Amino acid sequence: MIKKLTLTSLTALSLLLVTAQAEGGMKCAAGKCGAGMMQKGKMGGNKMAMKKKMMKKKMMRRKMNSPFLIKHGLPHLTRSVMQNWDNPAFALTAEQKTKLTAVRKETMGTVLKVKPEVIALRKEIVQASMSGAKAADLKAKVDKLASLEAEATMVHLNCIEKTKDILSKDQLLFLLANKNKHHGGKGNMMKKGMGQGKGMKMKCGSGKCGSGMKQDTVKIETH
């Protein structure tokens, strides 16, 4: 009698489970269970879009506030050096630190002096042009702006040259390999966004992403 009751109970439980699974399958087929996932995906997409907009605005502000003639492409080596100043893996000597401090002081002194002039003059030209000023009347200001930006760019180029002369080849390669770790912007976002994606894993699995990194390293000249 007990065996019969047990078997009957097990049969009833099995039927309940099957019914629940069937109902769940019907809901998913109707798109109800997927709605939550779609909503989460949409929210994630909106966050990514907002981050991209913020990054774009940040990049635009940087360009507008940059005192250099060349806005991007040239590395800011002294900044990377300061970020790794006491890093054992970077291994700066006391002599190197003294020389690098002098280079940074000289560079920043000139750039900080020129930068406010560049920003102010750039705004003047834009506002004057929007207010109807003739191009010929703005030529003197444009020439001055170009001269200031050229001065800042030459300081930047000299800074790169002097820094490369102070650092060893291994130290330069270390900076280049770690250049994106301290930038909260584009480099890290690409790593987080692309690194979790299936396509990125497939590319790295076939060795494609590694070849791209090697090409970037080859392009950099070291002394």
Side-chain angles (χ1 to χ4, degrees):
M1 184 70 179
I2 294 171
K3 287 183 179 180
K4 287 183 180 180
L5 287 170
T6 304
L7 288 171
T8 304
S9 299
L10 287 171
T11 304
L13 181 60
S14 299
L15 287 170
L16 285 170
L17 287 172
V18 170
T19 304
Q21 288 175 357
E23 287 178 355
M26 290 174 67
K27 285 182 180 179
C28 286
K32 290 182 181 179
C33 64
M37 293 174 67
M38 288 175 67
Q39 190 174 1
K40 286 181 181 178
K42 190 175 180 181
M43 287 174 66
N46 289 337
K47 286 183 180 179
M48 283 298 296
M50 287 177 67
K51 283 183 179 179
K52 284 181 181 179
K53 285 182 181 178
M54 288 174 67
M55 284 301 300
K56 192 173 181 180
K57 287 181 180 179
K58 192 175 181 180
M59 289 298 292
M60 288 297 292
R61 282 198 300 270
R62 281 184 181 177
K63 286 183 180 180
M64 282 299 293
N65 294 331
S66 172
F68 304 110
L69 193 63
I70 300 173
K71 308 299 181 190
H72 57 83
L74 292 174
H76 292 274
L77 287 182
T78 58
R79 183 194 300 163
S80 299
V81 166
M82 294 305 294
Q83 289 166 343
N84 292 281
W85 193 253
D86 294 316
N87 190 338
F90 190 40
L92 283 177
T93 66
E95 184 182 358
Q96 284 179 316
K97 286 184 177 183
T98 301
K99 291 179 179 179
L100 289 165
T101 299
V103 170
R104 183 168 175 80
K105 185 177 179 181
E106 178 187 354
T107 302
M108 295 305 295
T110 305
V111 171
L112 291 176
K113 181 183 175 184
V114 172
K115 186 174 180 178
E117 295 182 61
V118 169
I119 294 173
L121 194 54
R122 194 178 288 154
K123 286 180 179 179
E124 274 184 50
I125 294 169
V126 171
Q127 288 172 359
S129 177
M130 293 297 100
S131 298
K134 299 292 183 183
D137 296 333
L138 297 174
K139 187 178 184 305
K141 289 184 178 182
V142 171
D143 288 342
K144 185 180 179 182
L145 175 62
S147 177
L148 289 169
E149 288 184 333
E151 181 184 349
T153 301
M154 286 307 302
V155 170
H156 188 186
L157 290 170
N158 284 324
C159 175
I160 293 171
E161 184 178 333
K162 290 175 182 177
T163 303
K164 286 169 71 176
D165 287 339
I166 294 168
L167 299 176
S168 68
K169 185 177 180 180
D170 287 339
Q171 287 171 328
L172 280 168
L173 291 174
F174 175 87
L175 288 183
L176 295 169
N178 293 275
K179 64 182 178 179
N180 287 329
K181 286 187 178 181
H182 297 282
H183 299 305
K186 192 173 179 181
N188 287 336
M189 285 185 69
M190 287 178 70
K191 283 181 183 178
K192 288 178 182 178
M194 295 175 66
Q196 293 173 357
K198 188 175 180 181
M200 186 65 177
K201 290 180 182 177
M202 290 174 66
K203 286 182 180 179
C204 289
S206 61
K208 292 181 181 178
C209 60
S211 61
M213 290 171 68
K214 289 178 183 176
Q215 288 174 2
D216 290 340
T217 305
V218 172
K219 290 178 184 177
I220 304 297
E221 294 181 5
T222 55
H223 293 297

